[in-house]
Amino acid sequence: IAPDPLVDSSYMRRRLAVVDAASGNVVTPIYHKGKLGMSTMSPSGQRVAFIAARDKHDPQPGRLTVASATDGTTKELLPDFAGHFVSCAFASDDVLVYLADRGCETVVGRIAVDGSDHQELLAEPGFVVSAFALARDGRKIALVAQTAAHPPELFTWEISSAADTKKR
């Protein structure tokens, strides 16, 4: 939601809210301190995950945050991550898969919404993922990826179990 249709409002003053579809009334406002990036709702409708700036002086959204859709409380996941989150998707009600940039590499990871069980599933220097889509089962993923020697191409990948990921 933006307070007006002005361009500055769309960048600087957008806010998230859970809205009742029938009445159009705001059910739950979700507060954050900075610019807002993409957002997505959990399959059950109980949580909202979004990418937001750390504060109003941060030039770009890049922090991974989860909010309760019932009371609006927020939690920043991985506050010490030395990179920039780009997007995320719910693999289940309690698990997010994310895409982030860190230095010159792309990271695809998985984390529980309470901040536990963090795993970096893919982090290869020189392998750049520009977009992803997660299947409804939370295990299959489509990636648009490239390297310096390979143009952007669509790849599919099945996300391993936690035990298989640790073996790689």
Side-chain angles (χ1 to χ4, degrees):
I1 300 172
D4 54 55
L6 299 174
V7 172
D8 284 349
S9 293
S10 70
Y11 288 113
M12 302 297 294
R13 293 185 285 280
R14 283 190 308 155
R15 297 292 174 248
L16 283 173
V18 178
V19 176
D20 179 271
S23 68
N25 294 328
V26 171
V27 176
T28 308
I30 298 172
Y31 298 102
H32 61 91
K33 298 176 184 173
K35 296 171 188 75
L36 182 62
M38 64 78 57
S39 61
T40 186
M41 187 163 256
S42 67
S44 69
Q46 295 301 304
R47 294 182 181 88
V48 178
F50 59 97
I51 310 296
R54 185 172 303 261
D55 58 39
K56 69 179 185 176
H57 302 293
D58 196 352
Q60 189 171 358
R63 310 312 315 160
L64 181 60
T65 309
V66 174
S68 165
T70 55
D71 66 13
T73 58
T74 62
K75 176 181 177 79
E76 182 180 344
L77 303 178
L78 301 173
D80 297 325
F81 182 76
H84 182 93
F85 291 95
V86 177
S87 63
C88 63
F90 280 95
S92 69
D93 274 335
D94 300 320
V95 177
L96 282 168
V97 173
Y98 66 81
L99 175 62
D101 296 324
R102 180 177 57 205
C104 295
E105 68 183 356
T106 298
V107 179
V108 176
R110 173 173 46 200
I111 188 166
V113 295
D114 66 2
S116 66
D117 297 326
H118 177 233
Q119 296 175 298
E120 289 189 2
L121 304 170
L122 175 66
E124 296 289 329
F127 188 75
V128 177
V129 178
S130 56
F132 83 97
L134 191 62
R136 289 179 199 224
D137 68 5
R139 296 190 51 82
K140 294 176 191 79
I141 190 168
L143 307 163
V144 176
Q146 66 189 36
T147 68
H150 190 89
E153 188 173 351
L154 181 63
F155 295 89
T156 59
W157 175 38
E158 186 159 340
I159 298 174
S160 305
S161 69
D164 292 341
T165 302
K166 290 177 184 175
K167 292 178 188 174
R168 289 185 182 174

